[in-house]
Amino acid sequence: MAASLQLLQFKPVKPSFSFFSRRSAPIICSAAPTPSKSQRSYTITLLPGDGIGPEVISVAKDVLILAGSLEGIKYEFRERLIGGAALDATGVPLPDETLSSAKQSDAVLLGAVGGYKWDNNDKHLKPETALLGLRQELKVFANLRPASVFPQLVDASTLKREVAEGVDLMVVRELTGGIYFGKPRGFGTNEDGEECGFNTEIYAQHEIDRIAHAAFKIARKRNGKLCSVDKANVLEASILWRRRVSAIAQEYPDVELSHMYVDNAAMQLIRNPKQFDTIVTNNIFGDILSDEASMITGSIGMLPSASLGASGPGLFEPIHGSAPDIAGQDKANPFATVLSAAMLLKYGLDEGKAAQRIENAVLDTLNKGLRTGDIYSPGTKLVGCKELGEEIMKSVESNVPSGATV
């Protein structure tokens, strides 16, 4: 079964505490066709990648296996190389074997790519090109990045408690268009003989329309508020963006649409983040704003993401980087990758019960006061990646109800 947006045809479920939306029923993105539950067997491509990637993927894999076994799910895991690890082994950041495995799987779970070792490589030999290529080849155009402040971690935020407490927003980022992929791009010489670099911010109508539809349907399942972020006072691509989003809004009269320039949005996310529920924006703005939003929560190590297309497997990954400075030291925070695995189950495989089991386990583990260094505070227990993973596993097995953890 492949993960897909199907333009987000959601199945209603009973409201419960969910990391992805605390105030409404969890958003379910069902694949089509839906296999019978008697099959319950899926192929998952694992891409540990670089830095802390292998460490956090190892924890997430164990959690997936346990949660799956307890809910009658079986997996076939295919581990493949990507990024710097692939460069060292094969000479390219995205080997054909990796891409083929990803395309043929039901879902893809990625750790992280990149590291200082490859910073000076030519652009086509940088680890990060693998991620862009994978997204493009899988045709995943909608990147969903939730940013919610866990009650247990509100004091870990760098913002005042009254600002951070209760923040629960979703950034819907267009993923395969815009300046990251636009052409022409490259290097040249200007009329004064100086070397220059150039990129193209370009969006076609259909690219804007499909991400707008996705965002409106997500907003409808949350609190009915959508803020479209652009730079329409300067950029032609943003003028078209605003025009198309406004036109599509007519199809969603139950969703309140607002527009905001990206520079103002960056300020408002810090000043009053609770004003936002769902944000939709282009590739580069979404890249920046979602990372900014993540820090409201206290740590980028807490936040997962899902990248979905109209058909085919979805790509699920933590939004943190490879953190080469702590790689191999058992200091990595695996929560974001574990929650990405929960998103994989919920959005990619329509296995909501197993996903909820993992979400409950994360909350239960936080309630026990266990923390990695990035979210540590006085009065909590500092643990490493492996020990935290073991504790999450215990909570997965006990399946503490979400209501008991809030």
Side-chain angles (χ1 to χ4, degrees), residues 141 173-182 200-211 236-238 240-241 244 281-286:
F141 64 84
R173 169 191 172 193
E174 199 290 321
L175 199 59
T176 57
I179 201 167
Y180 289 172
F181 295 97
T200 302
E201 167 72 358
I202 183 170
Y203 272 103
Q205 177 177 318
H206 80 276
E207 293 175 306
I208 301 170
D209 288 2
R210 66 186 181 182
I211 194 68
E236 281 78 5
S238 279
L240 178 62
W241 179 283
R244 291 308 307 160
T281 191
N282 69 13
N283 203 340
I284 188 170
F285 297 162

Side-chain angles (χ1 to χ4, degrees), residues 314-381:
L315 175 63
F316 303 85
E317 58 182 307
I319 72 169
H320 61 66
S322 61
D325 53 322
I326 62 169
Q329 300 175 44
D330 195 34
K331 294 181 178 180
N333 181 345
F335 276 134
T337 312
V338 169
L339 287 166
S340 294
M343 290 188 85
L344 182 155
L345 288 165
K346 180 179 289 188
Y347 288 71
L349 305 181
D350 194 18
E351 294 286 357
K353 287 185 178 180
Q356 188 66 57
R357 185 181 281 268
I358 293 175
E359 293 172 20
N360 292 349
V362 168
L363 292 168
D364 185 47
T365 305
L366 287 170
N367 278 340
K368 293 175 181 177
L370 303 171
R371 306 285 190 269
T372 47
D374 58 313
I375 55 173
Y376 173 78
S377 61
T380 60
K381 180 182 178 182

Side-chain angles (χ1 to χ4, degrees), residues 217-354:
K217 289 177 180 178
I218 288 171
R220 173 180 280 169
K221 289 295 181 179
R222 288 173 56 86
N223 291 308
K225 292 176 59 179
L226 178 64
C227 180
S228 177
V229 174
D230 58 40
K231 193 63 177 171
N233 57 336
V234 176
L235 302 174
E236 281 78 5
S238 279
I239 293 172
L240 178 62
W241 179 283
R242 182 172 292 207
R243 184 188 307 157
R244 291 308 307 160
V245 172
S246 297
I248 291 168
Q250 305 306 309
E251 301 178 36
Y252 302 90
D254 54 327
V255 176
E256 177 188 340
L257 173 66
S258 62
H259 299 278
M260 191 175 290
Y261 295 140
V262 64
D263 43 356
N264 187 28
M267 291 187 290
Q268 294 297 328
L269 271 173
I270 299 301
R271 189 186 73 83
N272 180 22
K274 286 194 284 285
Q275 70 183 279
F276 297 105
D277 180 64
T278 307
I279 294 172
V280 63
T281 191
N282 69 13
N283 203 340
I284 188 170
F285 297 162
D287 192 4
I288 296 166
L289 292 178
S290 59
D291 279 359
E292 180 188 3
S294 73
M295 292 313 299
I296 299 170
T297 70
S299 174
I300 200 170
M302 293 301 302
L303 302 182
S305 74
S307 300
L308 305 169
S311 63
L315 175 63
F316 303 85
E317 58 182 307
I319 72 169
H320 61 66
S322 61
D325 53 322
I326 62 169
Q329 300 175 44
D330 195 34
K331 294 181 178 180
N333 181 345
F335 276 134
T337 312
V338 169
L339 287 166
S340 294
M343 290 188 85
L344 182 155
L345 288 165
K346 180 179 289 188
Y347 288 71
L349 305 181
D350 194 18
E351 294 286 357
K353 287 185 178 180

